Amino acid sequence: DVQLVESGGGSVHTGGSLRLSCVDRRNIGRHYCMGWFRQAPGKDREAVAAIETDGSASYAESVKGRFTISRDDARNTVYLQMINLSPEDTALYTCVSDTVWVGCRRSVGVAAWGQGTQVTVS
């Protein structure tokens, strides 16, 4: 079963905006760090942003000032608001939970990945 479900990807022109959403379908009974990474064809995975349970966030240098990560724990959802998009942002964006290399301070044993949502900027 897919535990993290992303949505909101699509195709936009340079300078456009998108908001990605990720719903965690598990009912673990606690909250934990969530994040996003991306991978473009032929490139390595790149950590994009992470948000802790206290709302503190971290970002890749390449997206600082343009992307904002947020969370709604009542809906078990994390968002990634992206503005001023450029072709370099084109990638498959994947939501993750509890993953240190994405930017979470620590792991609590509930790591999971989504299947990703494609963002294409032209």
Side-chain angles (χ1 to χ4, degrees):
D1 288 344
V2 177
Q3 297 171 320
L4 303 183
V5 181
E6 303 97 333
S7 62
S11 297
V12 297
H13 293 303
T14 298
S17 302
L18 285 172
R19 188 176 84 151
L20 307 183
S21 300
C22 170
V23 178
D24 189 338
R25 291 182 167 175
R26 300 171 293 179
N27 290 308
I28 296 177
R30 61 180 298 184
H31 300 300
Y32 31 83
C33 178
M34 300 289 293
W36 295 87
F37 73 89
R38 66 186 181 184
Q39 187 166 22
K43 294 188 177 181
D44 292 335
R45 289 179 195 143
E46 178 187 21
V48 174
I51 185 166
E52 301 286 351
T53 55
D54 63 2
S56 58
S58 60
Y59 297 92
E61 285 297 322
S62 58
V63 307
K64 278 184 180 178
R66 300 186 299 121
F67 290 13
T68 303
I69 189 170
S70 61
R71 60 191 295 152
D72 183 343
D73 289 337
R75 292 180 168 83
N76 288 336
T77 301
V78 62
Y79 303 98
L80 186 67
Q81 177 70 51
M82 308 183 293
I83 65 171
N84 195 21
L85 287 162
S86 71
E88 289 71 34
D89 296 312
T90 295
L92 183 71
Y93 284 71
T94 302
C95 174
V96 297
S97 67
D98 192 39
T99 302
V100 172
W101 67 263
V102 167
C104 296
R105 288 194 287 261
R106 64 187 182 100
S107 172
V108 296
V110 293
W113 288 17
Q115 293 188 324
T117 185
Q118 179 66 37
V119 171
T120 302
V121 186
S122 60

